[in-house]
């Protein structure tokens, strides 16, 4: 019985170490993705940002489809 308890404890320790490692990896991947996104976003000209935000705002308004088509054509 003691041997099973020790094995279960070891498995638990290894599982916790694995989960901790996965969490650290996940955090690192998210941080890298956020840094890349920020780097790309910083290269977008302010005029383009304003136009994209206007398109998004219009797209969010389902009753404004005519204006969305007009903006996309320009």
């Amino acid at each position: 019985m003691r041997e099973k308890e020790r094995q279960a404890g070891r498995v638990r320790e290894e599982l916790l170490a694995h989960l901790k490692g996965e969490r650290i990896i996940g955090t690192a991947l998210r941080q890298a993705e956020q840094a890349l996104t920020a780097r790309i976003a910083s290269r977008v000209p302010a005029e383009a940002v304003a136009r994209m935000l206007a398109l998004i705002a219009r797209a969010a308004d389902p009753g404004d489809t005519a204006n969305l088509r007009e903006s996309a054509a320009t």
Side-chain angles (χ1 to χ4, degrees):
M1 188 110 176
R2 278 281 197 208
E3 187 175 323
K4 283 187 178 181
E5 287 175 9
R6 280 185 268 157
Q7 287 177 354
R10 184 172 180 209
V11 169
R12 181 179 182 276
E13 288 173 14
E14 288 180 17
L15 176 61
L16 290 173
H18 174 76
L19 293 174
K20 182 179 178 183
E22 288 296 316
R23 184 173 158 196
I24 291 170
I25 291 168
T27 299
L29 289 172
R30 275 189 300 284
Q31 288 175 347
E33 185 177 311
Q34 289 171 345
L36 179 60
T37 301
R39 206 167 105 210
I40 292 169
S42 72
R43 294 178 179 177
V44 178
E47 181 183 312
V49 171
R51 291 182 72 192
M52 285 189 286
L53 291 173
L55 285 171
I56 292 167
R58 288 186 185 138
D61 182 3
D64 199 12
T65 56
N67 286 336
L68 181 60
R69 278 188 243 119
E70 289 173 15
S71 294
T74 58

